[in-house]
Amino acid sequence: HVRSRRQRQMCIRDSIKTDTGTVNLLIALSQQYRSEGNIHLSEKNIQQAINLSKKINYKKGLGNAYLEIGWEKQYTGDYDVAQNYYVQAMEIQESIGDDKGLAFTLTAMGIISIRFGNTDKSIEYYKRALSIKKSLQDSVGIGALLNNIAVVYYQLENFGKAIEYMEKAQEIYKAIGDNQSLGAILSNLGSFYYEIGNKQKGIKYMYDGHKATLKTNDPLSIAMSFNTCLLYTSPSPRDRG
């Protein structure tokens, strides 16, 4: 029996659905291999994802694949190539309204802009990503971007802005109960305040950060937090006479 047109269309749709799942799996495998430092297998999987996405016109998958290969190229120090892939990912994500993917790519653009010494552009990308994360109500993403922006302002020695964004980040982490991130943020805030001359407030934040870190039961984080407190509160050899 000859299959009806409708049956053929349904088979094609089912095939494409399976293929999009394959693209997503290939991207996930690429990420896993990259995290393990196996760049050869990471690149092999992501190239397959790119080729399959183009074949079935899966634009969301292609955008995500370009983002992933951008991360891979950045990981290996090919910053110009990485930036080119990020731009391609952004164009696709903007065209299809993939806000979640776009926020990740904008964050990647913010990171690589620092590599090129363009801190103003980095802040611009981070703020665009932050706006999207707010619209998506992604508290973890909001906290991370607030922290990223604060770090750039700190590098620019704009300590007022750095503290402003860091204060916002610590409120986010406190609200969602992320003690790992909260401890790190409070410790950073403490060092910021300390370095602009407000030593008392700086030390308080450092100890608050240590208290938050203790709740994580992570020995390494606890040790680092404790050492930070010691570094800023122990008298120097000169002070001890």
Side-chain angles (χ1 to χ4, degrees):
H1 298 287
V2 178
R3 289 185 299 179
S4 69
R5 187 180 202 181
R6 179 175 173 79
Q7 286 175 320
R8 288 198 302 272
Q9 288 174 338
M10 288 179 65
C11 286
I12 291 169
R13 281 200 300 269
D14 288 343
S15 175
I16 290 173
K17 192 179 294 183
T18 302
D19 286 341
T20 59
T22 301
V23 169
N24 295 333
L25 177 60
L26 287 166
I27 293 171
L29 284 170
S30 178
Q31 291 170 338
Q32 179 62 35
Y33 283 127
R34 176 167 55 82
S35 70
E36 295 171 356
N38 193 331
I39 300 303
H40 173 70
L41 283 179
S42 176
E43 187 170 349
K44 181 180 178 180
N45 279 274
I46 203 61
Q47 199 58 59
Q48 288 177 352
I50 289 170
N51 293 339
L52 182 55
S53 295
K54 288 179 178 179
K55 180 181 177 182
I56 64 175
N57 196 31
Y58 180 31
K59 292 184 178 180
K60 183 176 181 180
L62 185 58
N64 289 338
Y66 280 147
L67 171 60
E68 174 56 27
I69 198 169
W71 277 120
E72 182 183 291
K73 295 302 180 182
Q74 184 169 336
Y75 179 86
T76 57
D78 296 329
Y79 301 122
D80 289 316
V81 177
Q83 187 178 52
N84 182 53
Y85 278 118
Y86 291 153
V87 170
Q88 291 182 74
M90 281 174 55
E91 289 173 352
I92 292 170
Q93 290 158 346
E94 287 174 334
S95 71
I96 64 174
D98 180 11
D99 287 344
K100 185 178 180 180
L102 180 58
F104 282 119
T105 305
L106 287 166
T107 302
M109 286 291 284
I111 293 169
I112 206 165
S113 293
I114 295 174
R115 288 285 185 179
F116 288 117
N118 196 339
T119 50
D120 289 340
K121 203 68 179 174
S122 175
I123 291 171
E124 180 185 323
Y125 283 126
Y126 283 151
K127 286 184 176 179
R128 282 184 62 191
L130 177 62
S131 177
I132 294 172
K133 290 292 186 180
K134 286 180 177 177
S135 70
L136 297 173
Q137 298 182 325
D138 179 358
S139 296
V140 173
I142 291 169
L145 283 159
L146 288 169
N147 179 64
N148 287 0
I149 294 169
V151 169
V152 179
Y153 276 126
Y154 182 78
Q155 291 172 347
L156 293 171
E157 297 186 0
N158 188 336
F159 301 120
K161 279 289 186 181
I163 288 172
E164 175 189 336
Y165 278 90
M166 199 68 80
E167 289 277 15
K168 291 177 181 178
Q170 68 104 358
E171 290 297 333
I172 292 288
Y173 289 130
K174 192 179 292 182
I176 64 176
D178 183 351
N179 288 306
Q180 187 85 39
S181 298
L182 178 61
I185 288 286
L186 290 171
S187 180
N188 286 339
L189 259 173
S191 64
F192 285 9
Y193 276 115
Y194 196 94
E195 290 181 27
I196 63 172
N198 195 336
K199 295 183 179 182
Q200 186 174 358
K201 193 168 188 177
I203 290 170
K204 179 184 181 302
Y205 269 112
M206 287 177 206
Y207 276 107
D208 287 346
H210 185 57
K211 289 177 185 176
T213 305
L214 285 171
K215 296 177 183 178
T216 67
N217 295 319
D218 177 5
L220 180 59
S221 296
I222 292 169
M224 290 175 65
S225 174
F226 182 68
N227 286 338
T228 299
C229 292
L230 283 180
L231 177 66
Y232 282 91
T233 57
S234 298
S236 66
R238 184 181 60 186
D239 293 335
R240 287 195 294 265

